[in-house]
Amino acid sequence: MEPAKATEQIDMATLFRAPAARAMKSLDKSLFFKVLPTSAALVSQNTLLSRYRKALEKSEELIQVEKFSPIAPHPDPEAAKAGKKCLVLKPSVDPASPETWSSVLKKGSEDGELEIIPYKADFDYTYWRYLDIMKSILPEELHDEIPSGFNTAGHVAHLNLREQYLPYKEVIGQIIIDKNPAVKTVINKIDDVGTANEFRTFNYEVLAGPDDLVVEVTEADCVFKFDYSKVYWNSKLSNEHQRLIDIFKPGEVVADVMAGIGPFAVPAGKKGVFVWANDKNPESHKYLEAAIARNKVSEFVRPFNHDGHSFIRDAADSVLEASKRKEHAVIKPPKPSRKAPPPKSPLKDILIPVPPTISHFVMNLPASALEFLHNFRGLYSGNEELFAPHTETKLPLVHAHCFAPKLNDDTTYAEVLGRIEKEIGVALQHGDGEVEGQCSIIEVRDVAPNKRMFCASFRLPASVAFAPRA
């Protein structure tokens, strides 16, 4: 019996394969209509459906295919209107040949509870998945790397199509929209982010849907609205955003040197972390301000539109001055519940002071962030008394994102550490970034066949922080 079952499984896979429509450059959905001649078991009354469904599943005669219900309306329109139903069976069950029936079907037929009839199961474009349809369209030599891993930002899906798939780009775009209800527009990048311009925006072409890139996204319970064509956003970095936010402590100060529209800054502000958030792109700064207002974190997050090189030292000076001026965030007390007794005395605002030093620097510009590290020389020159051993405060942790080639880990780590040493003049060892003289290097994600993104975290060495400013 086993070989017969294996053969039947192969036949079923073939029967449910999307119709071939090779080299289609313009989507014709009508070509994906398919009729499967099979059989069905009519039940004398619907109360028997559940019992016979279970029995026919056990006898392996019921069609069980993803996205296809084996319970169908009665093939007779009048009976269907009356609510009559049937159970769709596998093609191996022949209505004219009872020898192909199981004992379940034979007994049900003898008892007058079942009638086995020919049946036609219809399948159309809506049945098949994206990959099913693409395999039917693309030549077999292109099946290994069918474009499927696209990024999304709100209603926009963006691809980076390889040359061999460009002849099918409009079809690919339309099928993505059809098979992903949240996607309304599909675009294809036509240059590399990070190399086309300093703001990490990119040129694009619309493959399907309207040319509308004003999107709204939610991340870490914060809402961001922006023009995707004018700022940088990557939904695949949400875990990395959250990883660092989890490290930040309420009441600390974080300097976000390349803040974009605020995926680190805004959720951190919601957590009660002070953030000096900077981005050189005026459009990013505009949408950052909007996100701060919309998510009500203006007490903690301050937006800046400076060059990142100068911002590093300016932020340290600005935070210190804010602390000296006794600046603070004001937290309104929660409104008392109507059911709770009134407080004995009026609830007061909670004042959270800005501390004098920055606890973390975030530098999420992987194409060039390490080239900014020389700006940390002299960061706290003349302010040694703010840090240990004079106080319990440690020097800032620097979190710098970078790209590195796919080599063995030791070689990759050495390459990253060498680039850091070139900028700060201090050799760090791979290890725990919390420990002075060591640097943790965390892999964030693959970005290309031969390139990975990392986050290098290290505590700023005292010899760098307290060096004379150039």
Side-chain angles (χ1 to χ4, degrees), residues 122-141:
D122 295 340
F123 299 87
D124 61 15
Y125 175 80
T126 61
Y127 170 76
W128 283 284
R129 299 170 301 173
Y130 168 78
L131 285 176
D132 296 330
I133 295 175
M134 291 310 305
K135 285 180 179 179
S136 78
I137 291 174
L138 295 174
E140 289 189 7
E141 60 268 23

Side-chain angles (χ1 to χ4, degrees), residues 14-19 32-36 121-124 128:
T14 302
L15 287 170
F16 283 91
R17 185 179 299 157
F32 293 94
F33 183 80
K34 188 172 187 176
V35 177
L36 176 64
D122 295 340
F123 299 87
D124 61 15
W128 283 284

Side-chain angles (χ1 to χ4, degrees), residues 7 18 40 59 64 86 91 105 139-140 143 160 177 214 233 265 278 294 323 332 345 350 358 378 420 438-439 468:
T7 302
S59 68
Q64 297 188 62
C86 65
L105 291 177
E140 289 189 7
H143 284 191
N160 189 8
I177 286 179
V214 176
W233 178 269
N278 174 71
R294 181 167 186 171
S323 179
K332 297 292 182 182
S345 58
I350 301 172
I358 296 172
I420 294 173
Q438 297 184 23
C439 176

Side-chain angles (χ1 to χ4, degrees), residues 402-404 406-407 409 412 443 445-446 451-454:
C402 62
F403 294 133
K406 273 189 177 179
L407 308 169
D409 285 345
T412 298
E443 182 175 349
R445 68 184 189 97
D446 276 357
K451 184 165 70 173
R452 290 182 289 177
M453 178 179 172
F454 294 89

Side-chain angles (χ1 to χ4, degrees), residues 395-411:
L395 283 162
L397 276 169
V398 177
H399 309 280
H401 292 90
C402 62
F403 294 133
K406 273 189 177 179
L407 308 169
N408 66 73
D409 285 345
D410 289 340
T411 305

Side-chain angles (χ1 to χ4, degrees), residues 102-272:
S102 68
S103 57
V104 175
L105 291 177
K106 290 177 181 177
K107 181 71 165 57
S109 178
E110 291 169 1
D111 293 344
E113 294 180 342
L114 297 180
E115 179 185 355
I116 315 306
I117 64 167
Y119 186 86
K120 291 182 179 180
D122 295 340
F123 299 87
D124 61 15
Y125 175 80
T126 61
Y127 170 76
W128 283 284
R129 299 170 301 173
Y130 168 78
L131 285 176
D132 296 330
I133 295 175
M134 291 310 305
K135 285 180 179 179
S136 78
I137 291 174
L138 295 174
E140 289 189 7
E141 60 268 23
L142 296 183
H143 284 191
D144 290 343
E145 297 179 338
I146 294 175
S148 58
F150 51 85
N151 286 340
T152 59
H155 66 271
V156 176
H158 73 86
L159 304 168
N160 189 8
L161 290 178
R162 297 185 180 184
E163 185 177 357
Q164 60 267 38
Y165 295 100
L166 291 178
Y168 308 94
K169 60 187 180 182
E170 285 85 5
V171 171
I172 291 171
Q174 187 57 55
I175 297 172
I176 287 174
I177 286 179
D178 292 341
K179 300 302 177 181
N180 297 272
V183 175
K184 307 300 180 187
T185 298
V186 180
I187 62 173
N188 181 42
K189 292 185 289 187
I190 53 178
D191 55 33
D192 292 329
V193 176
T195 59
N197 63 66
E198 62 179 328
F199 296 149
R200 292 189 286 178
T201 56
F202 53 86
N203 293 319
Y204 68 93
E205 59 180 340
V206 176
L207 303 186
D211 188 359
D212 172 18
L213 268 63
V214 176
V215 301
E216 186 170 287
V217 301
T218 300
E219 184 174 293
D221 294 326
C222 297
V223 181
F224 302 87
K225 186 175 182 178
F226 53 93
D227 187 333
Y228 188 48
S229 68
K230 295 180 179 179
V231 303
Y232 178 78
W233 178 269
N234 191 331
S235 58
K236 291 184 176 180
L237 292 176
S238 59
N239 289 339
E240 177 64 2
H241 297 154
Q242 192 61 53
R243 184 183 72 86
L244 288 183
I245 292 165
D246 288 343
I247 295 172
F248 308 152
K249 297 177 182 177
E252 291 183 333
V253 180
V254 172
D256 194 349
V257 184
M258 301 93 173
I261 65 169
F264 287 107
V266 175
K270 219 169 188 180
K271 184 179 176 179

